[in-house]
Amino acid sequence: FFKSRSLATQICQAGKLRLSGQGVIKAHSKVRPGDVLTFPQARHIRVVKVLALGTRRGPASEAQALFEGRARYRLKEED
């Protein structure tokens, strides 16, 4: 979802990530199958469900099979 670990860490530290409804500020929080992640991405709010955890760092196509995209909500434009 993010191009680098440092970008993902910044989202966490800014308090913009929710893990199953709870705010997360530490990037090392444990994620388990069944958890739901909610976070901003560009001008959208992204909601994804964790289906499984990977056993290794692999290609993006492998990683995509570990998540289910629940929803993507467009943020309102500010006046």
Side-chain angles (χ1 to χ4, degrees), residues 1 5 11:
F1 307 106
R5 287 181 175 193
I11 293 293

Side-chain angles (χ1 to χ4, degrees), residues 21-37:
Q22 300 295 314
V24 173
I25 57 171
K26 295 186 179 184
H28 67 270
S29 297
K30 299 238 184 224
V31 176
R32 296 180 177 95
D35 283 346
V36 175
L37 301 170

Side-chain angles (χ1 to χ4, degrees), residues 1-12 27 39 41 57:
F1 307 106
F2 300 100
K3 290 189 181 228
S4 69
R5 287 181 175 193
S6 63
L7 288 175
T9 298
Q10 288 175 9
I11 293 293
C12 287
F39 54 90
Q41 192 174 47
R57 273 185 83 174

